[in-house]
Amino acid sequence: MASSEIQKTRVINELRGFIKKLLQDPKILEQSLDITRRQLGESGQGDVMARIANEISDTTSVHIPEDPEEHSEADRLFLELLKEVVREEQALY
């Protein structure tokens, strides 16, 4: 199996596990969106994505590494999607 195929399989398996967590505890999604809304709304500088990841890890059963350098492709995808959804919500108002 080629390296890119192994990478794709790993990301798919990680996303599959994450979706399973969401189905088992649907509150995770709303909590994650609330955290993202709050963190994006704060004017503090620094790595907002790291703050979002850390708070999600601290308050839900989802674990995202503290160090952004250790985020997997699935972690980055989830964080970017949260940010995108919140930005689209804000654009509607």
Side-chain angles (χ1 to χ4, degrees), residues 16-33:
R16 186 179 182 282
F18 178 70
I19 291 167
K20 186 176 178 180
K21 275 187 182 186
L22 290 179
L23 292 171
Q24 291 170 337
D25 185 1
K27 293 180 284 185
I28 291 171
L29 194 53
E30 190 56 38
Q31 288 174 301
S32 298
L33 285 167

Side-chain angles (χ1 to χ4, degrees), residues 16-81:
R16 186 179 182 282
F18 178 70
I19 291 167
K20 186 176 178 180
K21 275 187 182 186
L22 290 179
L23 292 171
Q24 291 170 337
D25 185 1
K27 293 180 284 185
I28 291 171
L29 194 53
E30 190 56 38
Q31 288 174 301
S32 298
L33 285 167
D34 288 342
I35 290 165
T36 304
R37 286 181 196 106
R38 187 172 56 258
Q39 289 292 345
L40 289 176
E42 291 180 4
S43 60
Q45 294 299 320
D47 190 353
V48 70
M49 298 309 276
R51 292 195 320 262
I52 292 169
N54 291 339
E55 191 170 345
I56 288 170
S57 292
D58 290 346
T59 59
T60 72
S61 62
V62 173
H63 175 71
I64 302 173
E66 271 189 57
D67 184 355
E69 295 296 318
E70 295 178 15
H71 291 174
S72 68
E73 286 296 318
D75 294 333
R76 283 189 282 279
L77 178 61
F78 177 58
L79 293 169
E80 285 299 323
L81 286 171

